[in-house]
Amino acid sequence: MAQIALITGITGQDGSYLAEFLLAKGYEVHGVVRRSSTMNRGRIDHLQHANPSHPETSKFVLHYGDMTDSGGLNRLVKTVRPDEIYNLAAQSHVQISFDQPEYTGDADGLGTTRLLEAIRTMGLPTRFYQASTSEMFGLAPPPQNEATPFHPRSPYAVAKLYAHWMTVNYREAHHLFACSGILFNHESPRRGENFVTRKVTRGIAQILSGKSEKLRMGNLDSKRDWGHAQDYVEAMWLMLQQDEADDYVIATGVTRSVREFVEAAFSQAGLDWDRYVVLDEAYLRPSEVHELRGDPSKAEKKLGWKPKTSFAQMVHEMLENDLKLEGVDPAKHLKSVRRVPAELAAGLVVRARGDRGPRPPRSSGGSSSPGCRRHRSLGGRSRRYSRARSAAISKFSQNFSLPVSALSACISSRSSSQ
């Protein structure tokens, strides 16, 4: 008998990828959608779904529901009786949460509690996944892992932190199999148009199509750890397949500034970003999170999870999608990007030689002594290493359309953490 999964937020970026992932594994997938006068199902229209009144032979069923309606959520859980619940629904835009803090708290924070309480009161053995966020770390210094103290800096992050701790509480107090995935920024062509990464790629497409001349941006110095959403939904599923429930950080371990994202995207499109990007204070947040960089070592060790898509591939996919939407031929404008494993792109460290061991002490026996010759030899190796490193970074940058500055910063951060 097929496993049954219930996904809230199924029409979003993560929900649509997760639905595809679970359907491919033979799941019966039920999704929660909000009632609206306008349809917002573009990300899942390609998946054939049935009416909940006639779900026969269908593996994909959609139900109307809302995270602020506890009665409706209770009825839904009771009717579907899912083996797994993936709570992805949220008001997830940080800037908007400053304008709508009460609604954000109700949907993102209390909405999670309503689902957990539905599972508890019905006594179901349902496994629960909560979509937590790296924004909860806020001002905590990087790299951030599962033990890093939280310091949220927005109503969105505060609401998500409430939901995170409620998930932990229901696991410890009521023995529910409840996990939180603390996902760092993850993007794709399905990202909402008001998120900064999609704003950049869509802006480039509109510049190339002649519809815009400038791209107005806020803080370019904020640093984020960006991965591909399609890779991250696999980690969600893996968490619910473990023997014991736990919380996991899901990230690439590499941080880049918004400026570096802009530089990479414009470079792939053959444009000089300085000519088109305009700084606009209207897009600055009341309180900023300066740097987020996740440490995914726990997920790598316990879940066997690693990101598969490189940063350059992700940016290329987003650009290709947005150029097509604007009627621009990607082949005429985008540089080709070779496929490369994400861990190679993230951890490219050129070593002139293997482990050289500790440096021997300097000998006082003169310039011809073995110790002194050894010292000179190590100095030469160091210079050769630096030249080889610089040459490799330059070549890698050209082959995979990545900015040299981003690669250098990435390698430096990875090397210092080893």
Side-chain angles (χ1 to χ4, degrees), residues 254-256 260 263-264 310-312 340 342-349 389-415:
V254 179
T255 186
R256 295 176 174 87
E260 288 171 331
E263 180 186 352
S310 74
F311 177 76
V340 57
E343 62 261 31
L344 176 59
L348 177 70
V349 178
R389 180 181 183 273
S390 299
I393 290 175
S394 178
K395 185 175 181 180
F396 195 90
S397 173
Q398 295 172 4
N399 286 344
F400 298 104
S401 300
L402 291 170
V404 171
S405 59
L407 278 171
S408 299
C410 157
I411 293 170
S412 297
S413 65
R414 297 279 292 196
S415 298

Side-chain angles (χ1 to χ4, degrees), residues 222 295 321:
S222 292
D295 174 9
N321 175 73

Side-chain angles (χ1 to χ4, degrees), residues 58-211:
S58 177
K59 289 282 189 179
F60 186 46
V61 184
L62 298 180
H63 308 261
Y64 285 121
D66 196 292
M67 297 303 293
T68 63
D69 177 15
S70 58
L73 292 175
N74 271 282
R75 288 192 298 272
L76 189 56
V77 172
K78 183 178 180 180
T79 302
V80 176
R81 301 183 69 83
D83 299 294
E84 300 171 0
I85 292 179
Y86 296 86
N87 183 32
L88 311 184
Q91 188 301 101
S92 58
H93 196 279
V94 175
Q95 183 66 49
I96 292 175
S97 75
F98 285 99
D99 298 325
Q100 296 184 313
E102 183 179 346
Y103 173 73
T104 301
D106 193 7
D108 298 10
L110 290 176
T112 300
T113 307
R114 295 179 182 113
L115 272 177
L116 288 165
E117 189 64 4
I119 297 171
R120 185 189 72 83
T121 56
M122 293 178 195
L124 297 175
T126 303
R127 297 191 168 199
F128 180 82
Y129 170 83
Q130 167 61 19
S132 290
T133 170
S134 60
E135 290 287 331
M136 301 187 306
F137 291 119
L139 289 182
Q144 296 97 358
N145 60 27
E146 294 80 4
T148 301
F150 298 113
H151 189 152
R153 295 271 285 172
S154 66
Y156 166 70
V158 171
K160 280 290 192 176
L161 185 55
Y162 173 88
H164 175 82
W165 282 120
M166 287 301 290
T167 302
V168 174
N169 183 262
Y170 270 74
R171 180 171 71 223
E172 295 177 350
H174 304 299
H175 309 293
L176 267 61
F177 193 104
C179 301
S180 279
I182 308 174
L183 272 59
F184 281 64
N185 295 62
H186 44 291
E187 319 299 319
S188 76
R190 300 181 190 178
R191 192 51 141 162
E193 294 179 359
N194 57 349
F195 287 81
V196 65
T197 52
R198 186 75 193 285
K199 179 181 177 179
V200 171
T201 57
R202 186 165 177 261
I204 291 172
Q206 291 179 335
I207 289 171
L208 290 174
S209 68
K211 295 180 181 178

Side-chain angles (χ1 to χ4, degrees), residues 380-392:
R381 289 178 184 176
S382 178
R383 288 190 294 273
R384 289 196 298 274
Y385 164 78
S386 296
R387 289 195 296 269
R389 180 181 183 273
S390 299

